[in-house]
Amino acid sequence: MELSSAQKTIIKRMANGRFFSGQELAEELEVSRASIWNYLKALEKVGFEFHAVKGKGTRLKLSIELLDKQRIISNISADRRKLLAQLDVLDVCQSTNQYIAQQHSLKSLLNGSICMAEMQTMGRGRLGKTWVSPYGQNLYVSFLWNFKGGISALSGLSLACGVAVCNTLKELGLGEHGLKWPNDILWQGKKLGGILVEIQGESQGSYTAIIGIGINYQMSSVSSNDIDQPWVDMHKAYGGPMGRNRLAGRLIDYVLGVLDGYEQGGLSPYVEQWNTFDCYAGKKVRIISGGQYEEGVANGISTSGELFLKMAGGKVKNIMSGEVSLRLSDG
Ligand code: BTN
């Protein structure tokens, strides 16, 4: 559901977490107190949680650091800013990946065109899943980059970007995070973020990659009702506010660095680092595809992003990411 402009105004006013009386909000929006009450009820339905105290008013249970383009850019190093063609910071969109694709079809975008949004109404995950994208609570960012050469060269791109995400978190002082092949970001085994790379073919063997990254920043339990796996957010993992704009800026910095070098070097320069971040290395796993599964021991990745799966008997099978998912084997 998209927020109405009155609802957005309420959230922006309340983002800092201070108490507001119904009267105060009603005067500001020039509506009745009953309308404010209805807006707050509707906001609760889309995942906002409020805390009401008699005599004090109502506040957001979790304060929100709204996205701020200048603050994001101030966290990108001067060198990497040169790679940033444009940064669109939206309030609400269907999906930042879809927005970038649409803009690109209207007017070819330059490498380093980026879109972020406070909320996605149709956030996309891998394997056709929905990516839960409530307002102001997480990070949703998409990058556009054009590559020459065959599409197969792009098979490791999402894994290289996974290394960029992990290096960002490491620089900001998080520990115990890592990667689950092909490109889930985990913290203590729970999902902290994910990457969805969508590729469009262009003329003369040139391809456009749209790299979408979602990181759970501070998600209310109501918003997360639709997530079908154990998850965690940065607040919990870091033990407090890391800074949403700071995280966004540093993430953009690292990802632009990877995108800039990828055409030349591919995944190779990142394989060793990827393996050090691999949460499932040496573990017995299941590769699931269309209801069937294969079991083996996860044994690192190839320079084209395939998973090495060591089968019983010692044979190693190369698994391509495509439409497969990976789980730990039971027992
Ligand atoms: C996954 O399934 O793990 C991948 C999730 C990718 C989510 C991000 S959020 C920004 C971008 N826009 C989308 O619709 N999806 C990606």
Side-chain angles (χ1 to χ4, degrees):
M1 189 206 88
E2 192 151 336
L3 302 190
S4 69
S5 71
Q7 287 171 324
K8 283 182 206 159
T9 308
I10 291 177
I11 291 305
K12 282 181 185 152
R13 291 294 288 124
M14 296 181 90
N16 60 9
R18 92 163 170 85
F19 279 102
F20 280 84
S21 70
Q23 187 61 35
E24 216 176 333
L25 290 172
E27 276 168 19
E28 187 158 333
L29 273 82
E30 297 179 351
V31 295
S32 65
R33 286 178 65 166
S35 304
I36 293 293
W37 194 83
N38 287 333
Y39 288 139
L40 295 182
K41 283 284 145 215
L43 285 167
E44 274 180 341
K45 285 205 181 112
V46 294
F48 290 96
E49 289 181 282
F50 297 99
H51 177 216
V53 174
K54 220 171 168 194
K56 274 180 131 178
T58 304
R59 66 174 177 83
L60 269 176
K61 241 185 197 167
L62 307 174
S63 58
I64 295 175
E65 184 188 322
L66 292 167
L67 296 175
D68 176 330
K69 184 169 167 175
Q70 289 323 315
R71 281 175 71 191
I72 296 170
I73 292 177
S74 72
N75 280 289
I76 306 174
S77 62
D79 272 357
R80 295 283 157 80
R81 265 185 233 173
K82 292 183 195 145
L83 301 172
L84 176 67
Q86 71 181 67
L87 172 61
D88 292 356
V89 179
L90 312 178
D91 219 30
V92 180
C93 66
Q94 285 188 3
S95 147
T96 52
N97 269 24
Q98 187 259 353
Y99 173 88
I100 283 277
Q102 194 181 30
Q103 294 296 307
H104 189 55
S105 68
L106 296 174
K107 168 186 177 285
S108 290
L109 296 179
L110 298 172
N111 287 352
S113 297
I114 300 179
C115 167
M116 298 196 67
E118 292 287 9
M119 174 178 176
Q120 301 184 117
T121 53
M122 291 173 69
R124 314 204 275 243
R126 270 191 82 231
L127 308 173
K129 289 191 181 172
T130 297
W131 188 254
V132 174
S133 310
Y135 194 98
Q137 299 180 21
N138 299 321
L139 286 186
Y140 321 113
V141 52
S142 297
F143 300 76
L144 178 134
W145 206 274
N146 297 296
F147 293 95
K148 294 188 198 80
I151 193 164
S152 61
L154 295 179
S155 61
L157 181 62
S158 68
L159 284 84
C161 290
V163 172
V165 176
C166 283
N167 281 334
T168 308
L169 301 179
K170 191 168 161 189
E171 182 204 275
L172 293 175
L174 189 74
E176 298 185 73
H177 59 281
L179 295 163
K180 177 187 149 199
W181 184 86
N183 43 31
D184 281 3
I185 319 299
L186 303 184
W187 182 81
Q188 290 191 351
K190 296 182 182 148
K191 187 139 174 174
L192 178 63
I195 302 174
L196 176 70
V197 174
E198 296 179 297
I199 295 181
Q200 299 174 348
E202 302 254 308
S203 56
Q204 288 146 8
S206 164
Y207 290 89
T208 299
I210 296 170
I211 302 100
I213 303 178
I215 297 185
N216 301 333
Y217 184 74
Q218 187 182 22
M219 187 148 46
S220 72
S221 45
V222 179
S223 305
S224 66
N225 275 344
D226 295 333
I227 304 182
D228 63 356
Q229 58 183 310
W231 65 274
V232 69
D233 60 22
M234 287 302 307
H235 248 249
K236 167 108 197 311
Y238 189 66
M242 177 180 264
R244 197 161 164 250
N245 289 296
R246 180 167 162 243
L247 174 59
R250 297 311 300 140
L251 178 69
I252 289 173
D253 189 303
Y254 274 95
V255 175
L256 284 175
V258 164
L259 295 176
D260 187 41
Y262 191 85
E263 190 161 284
Q264 198 70 26
L267 177 62
S268 300
Y270 304 102
V271 168
E272 205 178 307
Q273 273 195 75
W274 198 98
N275 286 329
T276 65
F277 283 123
D278 185 0
C279 298
Y280 284 16
K283 297 208 168 136
K284 204 169 168 197
V285 295
R286 253 176 211 186
I287 301 294
I288 306 164
S289 171
Q292 314 268 357
Y293 71 85
E294 282 186 294
E295 263 180 348
V297 172
N299 208 19
I301 56 162
S302 72
T303 51
S304 48
E306 300 147 325
L307 176 77
F308 292 134
L309 186 69
K310 206 167 176 186
M311 315 294 285
K315 198 172 157 253
V316 175
K317 203 166 172 181
N318 292 20
I319 311 287
M320 307 240 295
S321 67
E323 295 292 300
V324 304
S325 65
L326 178 145
R327 299 261 182 284
L328 278 179
S329 285
D330 314 322

